[in-house]
Amino acid sequence: MPNAPQTPIARKISTNSVIRTILANGPISRADIAKQTGLSKQTISDVVRSLESNGWLKPTGYTDGRLGRTAITYELDASAGFAASIDLGGTKIAAIICDLVGNVVAETKVPTNARGGLHLIDQFQAIIEDLARSAGIDLSKLRIIVLATPGILDPATGHINVAPNIPRVETIDLRRLLSTRMATPVIIENDVNLAAQGERWRGHGSTSDNFAFVALGTGIGMGIIANGRLMRGARGGAGEIAYLPLGGEPFDPDGFTLGTLESAVGSAAMVRRYSGYGGQSEATVADLFSALVAGEPAAVAVIEETSRSIALAIAAIGATLDPELVIMGGSIGARTELVEAIRRYLPRCTPYPPRIEISQFGNRAALIGGIGIAVEHMHQELFGVDLQDS
């Protein structure tokens, strides 16, 4: 007697199971999919046939080294869908287009349009179109855009409430305007949150459900993964450690702009302190670290004081969140000299210092996080199960 037709929700569940098995095991035959999933051979055949005819699967070869007949193996057709991951910075915009499984097919970095506001929409469109053209991609296959931005975002609307380095971006509905312009869904996320999700996807955090990503450069921020999920807070401000009352006078109203901690450890504070200690006037952070390598006392003192303040901040994070791991990133936070000093200070200010690692993605961490979110979204949109359909 033939198998009864599957209900729509049962078909979605079967499709989801097949896709996850193919993603986890690479090229695989229908018989092996059946063994892995427990689904009937008829159901597997129907799902694979449908996915192949719709362009999501492609045959890749044949099984070998076994007794009996060979069988066709299948894998996801990575070129069936694409996504854009964009990292908006105050001076630079970095962007990637990736395929359905997260492979980078085109990448660029350009100066940020200093006029900000609506001019950013034009710039994002031009960047995506240029990347698609260089990779030979039909933009009709673009399924999602993930945008990383500095500042505090409203978790419900995606509106950017505070982004002091991006002119007039708070005055526009960036998500709606970009989505309308590109006829594509847009996800906007804080850049440090995306960096944490990048580490969760393919970095140091891939084996941990509780860790923090601390980014230090021009400013300082943190992304939090707690019990396997990104923590946002009531207003989207979870992880805004720039405002921790450390490193300065917390009751000074000037600290309300940048934050007390950021005013003490950000790049401007570091070079100001270096010059004040007798180092090169009008120095850059690069000059400071060059002087550190040379053993210049003023540079050593700056790194020691900065790392001490950051160690205190990490101790406060540890007492509040109890992370297994803290990952350091950003143009300054990822410097080995600074991280080694933080590791020295931590055991002196907390009885349970978390493990400290340097992000393996460098300044691409937010882009990698954007790819991870985009791939998850595409797989959910195309193959996921929405129980509301039942």
Side-chain angles (χ1 to χ4, degrees):
M1 183 175 179
N3 292 342
Q6 286 189 309
T7 64
I9 188 64
R11 181 56 176 256
K12 281 190 174 184
I13 292 172
S14 298
T15 300
N16 179 272
S17 182
V18 169
I19 288 294
R20 289 183 181 280
T21 301
I22 292 172
L23 286 171
N25 296 278
I28 187 172
S29 69
R30 285 179 291 185
D32 286 337
I33 295 173
K35 291 177 184 177
Q36 294 275 350
T37 63
L39 297 170
S40 70
K41 291 182 179 180
Q42 181 60 52
T43 296
I44 298 296
S45 294
D46 290 344
V47 170
V48 169
R49 187 182 306 111
S50 174
L51 289 169
E52 185 179 8
S53 64
N54 286 310
W56 304 118
L57 288 187
K58 64 179 181 180
T60 57
Y62 296 88
T63 58
D64 55 14
R66 303 181 185 179
L67 297 175
R69 295 183 301 173
T70 60
I72 298 173
T73 57
Y74 295 88
E75 69 178 8
L76 202 62
D77 187 347
S79 66
F82 296 91
S85 176
I86 303 174
D87 185 9
L88 170 62
T91 59
K92 298 286 184 182
I93 296 175
I96 280 173
I97 286 184
C98 69
D99 62 23
L100 196 56
V101 296
N103 298 314
V104 175
V105 297
E107 185 169 358
T108 191
K109 183 180 288 187
V110 300
T112 305
N113 191 318
R115 293 173 292 178
L118 290 172
H119 298 284
L120 294 173
I121 306 298
D122 298 330
Q123 190 170 24
F124 293 148
Q125 179 182 11
I127 288 170
I128 293 171
E129 290 177 347
D130 288 346
L131 286 174
R133 191 179 303 113
S134 68
I137 294 169
D138 185 343
L139 274 179
S140 66
K141 290 186 174 183
L142 186 70
R143 296 192 165 272
I144 186 72
I145 299 168
V146 180
L147 175 64
T149 175
I152 300 176
L153 279 69
D154 185 314
T157 66
H159 183 72
I160 303 168
N161 294 320
V162 180
N165 295 322
I166 314 292
R168 291 176 292 281
V169 74
E170 302 102 325
T171 66
I172 63 174
D173 188 341
L174 183 57
R175 183 168 67 182
R176 180 183 62 80
L177 291 170
L178 182 57
S179 180
T180 300
R181 176 74 66 87
M182 301 304 301
T184 305
V186 174
I187 295 172
I188 298 182
E189 182 61 89
N190 172 269
D191 51 1
V192 187
N193 283 349
L194 273 183
Q197 289 174 308
E199 291 287 344
R200 173 72 168 155
W201 185 42
R202 288 185 174 174
H204 289 299
S206 60
T207 59
S208 175
D209 285 339
N210 293 279
F211 70 90
F213 183 100
V214 175
L216 175 63
T218 302
I220 187 168
M222 178 173 68
I224 305 162
I225 301 295
N227 297 325
R229 300 177 65 87
L230 178 69
M231 181 183 292
R232 300 181 185 278
R235 294 174 297 275
E240 292 294 331
I241 59 171
Y243 296 97
L244 280 175
L246 298 171
E249 172 50 63
F251 291 98
D252 182 351
D254 289 343
F256 282 24
T257 303
L258 296 178
T260 304
L261 180 62
E262 182 170 312
S263 297
V265 302
S267 59
M270 292 178 69
V271 296
R272 184 175 62 250
R273 189 176 290 125
Y274 174 57
S275 177
Y277 286 166
Q280 176 184 337
S281 61
E282 298 183 3
T284 64
V285 171
D287 295 330
L288 168 60
F289 277 97
S290 294
L292 178 69
V293 172
E296 185 179 321
V300 172
V302 170
I303 297 305
E304 289 296 306
E305 287 196 24
T306 302
S307 60
R308 186 176 186 275
S309 293
I310 295 170
L312 287 173
I314 292 174
I317 293 164
T320 308
L321 300 173
D322 189 26
E324 172 189 358
L325 167 69
V326 172
I327 301 169
M328 298 296 300
S331 58
I332 298 173
R335 295 290 304 227
T336 303
E337 304 94 328
L338 184 75
V339 172
E340 288 177 349
I342 292 169
R343 286 175 177 149
R344 281 192 283 105
Y345 277 110
L346 262 180
R348 296 165 60 184
C349 62
T350 176
Y352 304 107
R355 178 164 57 95
I356 308 295
E357 297 287 354
I358 297 174
S359 173
Q360 61 192 63
F361 300 128
N363 58 11
R364 298 174 78 245
L367 283 175
I368 300 300
I371 293 174
I373 295 299
V375 168
E376 179 182 352
H377 175 90
M378 289 192 291
H379 292 177
Q380 182 67 26
E381 176 198 24
L382 296 169
F383 315 119
V385 178
D386 183 354
L387 296 179
Q388 293 179 359
D389 289 351
S390 60

